[in-house]
Amino acid sequence: MPAQHPTDDVLIEHLRKGDAGAFKAIYVRYWRPLYGFVYQQLGSKQDAEEILHDLFLSLWQNRDKVHIQQLSVYLFVAVRNLTNKFIKSKINLRKYREYQLLHRIVESTQPEEIGNPEDLLQAVERVMQQMPEKTARIFRLSKIEEMPVKKIAATLNLTEKAVEYHITKSLQMLRQQLQRFQSHN
């Protein structure tokens, strides 16, 4: 590549020609702000990294097919779309998993099996301490304070899909812990 700090337009041009150096320069230039954006939405390092991997893999694989006018706009729109798709895939499972969890607890647990209700509350509290801070906060607002998803989203400046993702994530963690709790009693 000719310039030490090429413009986005130059990087796009070289990327289309299969220049791995241009791809690396784009990656280095945009990875951190894209990661910050995705992490803010999901609160999960692993999920954010996976989404960025998919984004950059797609960029490289489709380098000669995509028409990019503004690289930063293209990348942020693409990563937002991938994040929303990821969240939506988690949301589709949420209601089913909530139903499963509640059904399993109601059907399989008799009041005498719980033993001390304080033990169950402590188990739930332990799980909440293990959750990422944002996930635990959203769980508290949703399930304990019974705040609607829309209001949580407005309060925390998140999309409704992001809030629903965190609720799903918290329910998964709780379900796993409750299974262990039930198996110990």
Side-chain angles (χ1 to χ4, degrees), residues 96-147:
Y96 175 70
R97 288 181 175 164
E98 282 182 21
Y99 168 78
Q100 277 184 320
L101 174 64
L102 294 173
H103 181 72
R104 200 175 308 135
I105 291 169
V106 169
E107 292 296 318
S108 66
T109 306
Q110 300 300 320
E112 62 273 7
E113 289 179 15
I114 293 176
N116 183 356
E118 279 298 313
D119 293 341
L120 179 60
L121 291 174
Q122 288 174 358
V124 170
E125 189 58 38
R126 276 194 304 273
V127 175
M128 290 177 65
Q129 290 172 356
Q130 294 169 5
M131 291 178 190
E133 184 179 326
K134 187 180 286 186
T135 302
R137 183 172 181 202
I138 289 170
F139 175 80
R140 276 189 174 88
L141 292 172
S142 172
K143 300 301 179 189
I144 297 171
E145 297 179 25
E146 298 181 351
M147 186 183 289

Side-chain angles (χ1 to χ4, degrees), residues 5-173:
H5 298 286
T7 65
D8 284 355
D9 291 338
V10 170
L11 289 174
I12 293 167
E13 180 183 327
H14 284 268
L15 177 68
R16 280 192 190 114
K17 296 175 184 175
D19 183 343
F23 176 78
K24 182 178 179 184
I26 292 168
Y27 181 89
V28 168
R29 185 175 292 176
Y30 286 102
W31 187 88
R32 186 175 303 272
L34 291 168
Y35 175 83
F37 173 80
V38 176
Y39 184 81
Q40 179 185 6
Q41 294 296 309
L42 302 179
S44 166
K45 179 181 177 185
Q46 182 180 356
D47 294 337
E49 289 174 352
E50 184 179 321
I51 287 170
L52 285 179
H53 175 268
D54 292 348
L55 171 71
F56 283 105
L57 179 63
S58 175
L59 179 65
W60 179 252
Q61 289 176 337
N62 299 303
R63 65 188 175 276
D64 55 346
K65 299 173 195 141
V66 294
H67 181 70
I68 301 172
Q69 294 200 352
Q70 288 185 303
L71 184 58
S72 63
V73 172
Y74 174 83
L75 291 172
F76 275 94
V77 168
V79 83
R80 182 197 67 205
N81 291 341
L82 286 172
T83 302
N84 288 342
K85 182 179 177 183
F86 176 83
I87 291 170
K88 187 175 181 183
S89 73
K90 298 292 185 186
I91 292 169
N92 289 339
L93 297 173
R94 184 182 122 234
K95 290 183 180 175
Y96 175 70
R97 288 181 175 164
E98 282 182 21
Y99 168 78
Q100 277 184 320
L101 174 64
L102 294 173
H103 181 72
R104 200 175 308 135
I105 291 169
V106 169
E107 292 296 318
S108 66
T109 306
Q110 300 300 320
E112 62 273 7
E113 289 179 15
I114 293 176
N116 183 356
E118 279 298 313
D119 293 341
L120 179 60
L121 291 174
Q122 288 174 358
V124 170
E125 189 58 38
R126 276 194 304 273
V127 175
M128 290 177 65
Q129 290 172 356
Q130 294 169 5
M131 291 178 190
E133 184 179 326
K134 187 180 286 186
T135 302
R137 183 172 181 202
I138 289 170
F139 175 80
R140 276 189 174 88
L141 292 172
S142 172
K143 300 301 179 189
I144 297 171
E145 297 179 25
E146 298 181 351
M147 186 183 289
V149 169
K150 189 174 243 177
K151 187 172 181 184
I152 296 170
T155 302
L156 300 180
N157 197 24
L158 295 170
T159 65
E160 289 180 35
K161 288 181 181 181
V163 170
E164 290 175 345
Y165 164 79
H166 285 284
I167 292 169
T168 299
K169 188 174 173 179
S170 65
L171 289 172
Q172 287 172 336
M173 292 179 77

